[in-house]
Amino acid sequence: MAVPVISLRDLRVSYGDREILHGINFDVMAGETLVILGGSGSGKSTLLRTLVGLERPSSGQIWINGQDIAAVSNDELYEIRKRTGMSFQGSALFGSMTVGENVALPLREHTKLEDSTIEIMLRLKLEQVGLAGFEYHMPSQLSGGMKKRAAVARALAMDPEILFFDEPSAGLDPIIAAGIDQLILELKKAFRMTIIVVTHELASAFLIADRMVLIDKGNVVAIGTVDAMRTSTQPRVRQFLDRVPEPDVEGELDYLQTLTERYRRHA
Amino acid sequence: MVGENVVEVFYQVGASVTDSLAYLGSLAILAGRAAYFTFVGPFRGKAVRWQSAASQAMEVGVRALPILSLITFFIGLILALQSAYELSKLGALNVVPKAVAISMSRELGPLITAIVVIGRSGSAFAAEIGTMKVSEEIDALEVMAISPVDFLVSPKFLAMIIMVPCLTIWANAMGILGGALFGVTQADFTLRRYVQASIDSLYVRDIVSGLIKSVMFGITITAVGCQEGLATGGGAEQVGRSTTRAVVISILLVVAVDLVFTGIFFFLGAR
């Protein structure tokens, strides 16, 4: 039986007075690919940021490889982060460095490897993501899909045990997005890494996931294997998977509330 | 009703005082963390980022030389003209070099240098770090277990602490040369005698007090620029706001630091 690499226990996150995540519980097993699904504003991005320690939870625990990152010191958090990688939605490559320098940065910072070794490793990483020969290009010279790939290469630099993806196919055309999905599948097959992907792209989610979590308004609505999700009868899951728009009434109420709120603030 | 308003006024004053103190505190924390990475880090097996600091120093220091030279040359000339306006009535044009040299090295050299550095580098720090914040690059550093303060902020502090005093010395010299233009053309000095008179009128403490101030200015400008950059919210217009705030707050704080240190030197010198 697989052991959980990540365990969330009653995880709550707030921005100021507003609670975004209302007690999240789930486990991620070693070597599986878990897709976190959710609409805009569901809290799925906040969940991912909390998992990598960019947001501190207001309560609850996040166990990663037996350490609760909600309670560890900054130094310990940095040690855990050296064994994880993350690919950002906007790729977040450093614009002032070449693609090669971007990929080599974690190696230069955290290892005492010779420059020549680092050079070989960065070429390997770039080849893995299909960007061989692009090490001297600047990020601004790359297309959106290539930037994403370069960001994945950088996330892979330290041979992480866990890899996080924030909206891997956001802003890409279907063909390039399919290429990124393919890349994730290849990584999964080649390295047996634990991969966590946040997305709202259903097609991509069903292609890459072993299991899925649906987050809605800060709560876990459903969690299960791809097949279980596909056949789920849970209304919220069906609505999300069948792409049914929100009923209008709720929208109107929200709209009314924002109007009165604005009025109240002025008064 | 009136009582309520009075309470409200006190509340507002209290809140803004607390906010200002909190802001100064955050600057001090940032400077402290940068100092930790620069001075304590090397003893914990983390190399000082000399290469990054050197390229920052090039940008902050060397590239500022042309514009700084021009401005301080003019300031020196203006000082000579202004002091000559009064001194010529007393027939004391021979003390113009002294007036220019002392006001340059004690006050205007460091201050004008700081203003130029704020405009060129303080704003650039805020814009650079702010843009990185908006495009998630700061988050990316964090996730790669690289401290943004270590990676981005501490080289800037190192560069500024070294370069701002250097620029100040240069500014002093250019100011004196500016004064010399007046001295040579209007007051029967030769260039050599003017420069000699300037040097003779300066005490080491005049220059040193200016340099101590300039180090403090460098720390202030870097702290504000980087703090504003790191505090940038989402969106491109926020970067613009941070940059503006960095410039305005830096100018205010530099003048305040100037006042404090000038006061300290005044009372130390009076004893």
Side-chain angles (χ1 to χ4, degrees), chain A residues 49 78 81 88 93 109-110, chain B residues 49 139 142 144-145 147:
Chain A
R49 289 177 63 81
Y78 272 18
R81 280 173 171 171
F88 284 85
L93 296 168
E109 289 292 321
H110 300 312
Chain B
R49 301 177 186 279
D139 288 342
E142 279 283 353
M144 282 190 268
S147 160

Side-chain angles (χ1 to χ4, degrees), chain A residues 49 52 54 78 81-82 86 88-90 92-95 97 105-106 109-110 112 154 166, chain B residues 33 44-46 49 132 135-148 150-151:
Chain A
R49 289 177 63 81
V52 294
L54 287 173
Y78 272 18
R81 280 173 171 171
K82 285 179 193 171
M86 176 157 174
F88 284 85
Q89 184 174 354
L93 296 168
F94 302 114
M97 302 178 188
L105 183 67
E109 289 292 321
H110 300 312
K112 296 202 184 330
R154 187 176 67 183
D166 189 10
Chain B
R33 286 179 62 199
R44 295 189 151 200
K46 297 212 70 172
R49 301 177 186 279
M132 292 182 75
S135 61
E136 295 183 307
E137 288 171 47
I138 301 288
D139 288 342
L141 279 175
E142 279 283 353
V143 171
M144 282 190 268
I146 301 168
S147 160
D150 177 19
F151 189 74

Side-chain angles (χ1 to χ4, degrees), chain B residues 23 27 30 56 59-61 64 113-131 156-157 160 164 167 217-230 232 239-251 254:
Chain B
Y23 186 80
L27 294 183
L30 185 65
Q56 289 289 337
E59 188 54 48
V60 168
T113 306
I115 304 283
V116 170
V117 170
I118 289 170
R120 289 188 77 259
S121 305
S123 57
F125 292 170
E128 179 195 334
I129 296 179
T131 310
K156 291 182 168 53
F157 268 105
M160 291 281 273
V164 178
L167 286 174
F217 294 165
I219 293 172
T220 309
I221 297 165
T222 321
V224 175
C226 295
Q227 172 67 27
E228 286 302 321
L230 289 171
T232 304
V239 177
R241 245 175 60 92
S242 302
T243 312
T244 311
R245 274 176 59 95
V247 170
V248 174
I249 295 173
S250 295
I251 291 177
V254 157

Side-chain angles (χ1 to χ4, degrees), chain A residues 11 18 50 66 84 110 115 131 141 146 148 168 194-195 209 239 243 261:
Chain A
L11 177 68
R18 208 156 61 96
T50 313
T84 62
H110 300 312
D115 274 359
L131 280 181
Q141 295 171 302
M146 289 158 98
K148 279 267 162 74
T194 309
I195 299 177
Q239 189 193 358
R243 309 172 61 145
E261 221 167 65

